Amino acid sequence: MKAYHNLIKGSIITEKTHQLKEMGNKVTFKVAAKANKIEIRKAVEDIFKVKVLAVNTINMQGKKKRLGRTEGVRPDWKKAIVTLAPGEKISGFEGM
């Protein structure tokens, strides 16, 4: 079993995720690339003390970047969209 705090890297706050929060009570996190949906669900429920209905995950490909003639690639990462039960709230997302 993995440490739950190591699975969730941080929250993603954009205009699109703000709309998801208002319309469907969904919050978005950047998570560890090896984490699966069951581990993400347990981590969110344990850390934030909320009831999770569903977890959707997306593997995001790192962007190509250039600096002069040098080319590089940002690392790949995983995004998780977590649907909370009606009436559940995560306090860090309420002021947005």
Side-chain angles (χ1 to χ4, degrees), residues 14-77:
T14 61
E15 290 180 14
K16 186 175 181 179
T17 60
H18 183 67
Q19 289 176 348
L20 285 173
K21 172 68 178 133
E22 289 181 352
M23 297 290 203
N25 202 21
K26 297 179 180 182
V27 291
T28 308
F29 296 102
K30 186 174 184 179
V31 297
K34 298 285 184 175
N36 61 34
K37 292 181 181 185
I38 297 167
E39 292 171 340
I40 295 168
R41 174 190 299 258
K42 289 179 182 178
V44 171
E45 287 179 346
D46 187 54
I47 294 170
F48 299 108
K49 308 293 189 239
V50 293
K51 176 73 175 144
V52 174
L53 293 181
V55 177
N56 296 356
T57 58
I58 305 159
N59 287 315
M60 305 295 291
Q61 188 172 7
K63 294 181 178 180
K64 293 181 181 178
K65 292 294 179 179
R66 289 179 56 109
L67 183 61
R69 289 184 286 185
T70 307
E71 290 186 356
V73 180
R74 288 187 179 171
D76 299 340
W77 55 286

Side-chain angles (χ1 to χ4, degrees), residues 2-9 30-33 35 43 47:
K2 298 179 183 177
Y4 291 141
H5 292 284
N6 293 335
L7 291 179
I8 297 180
K9 303 289 185 186
K30 186 174 184 179
V31 297
I47 294 170

Side-chain angles (χ1 to χ4, degrees), residues 81-93:
I81 300 172
V82 179
T83 305
L84 302 177
E88 296 284 345
K89 296 178 182 178
I90 295 179
S91 61
F93 288 88

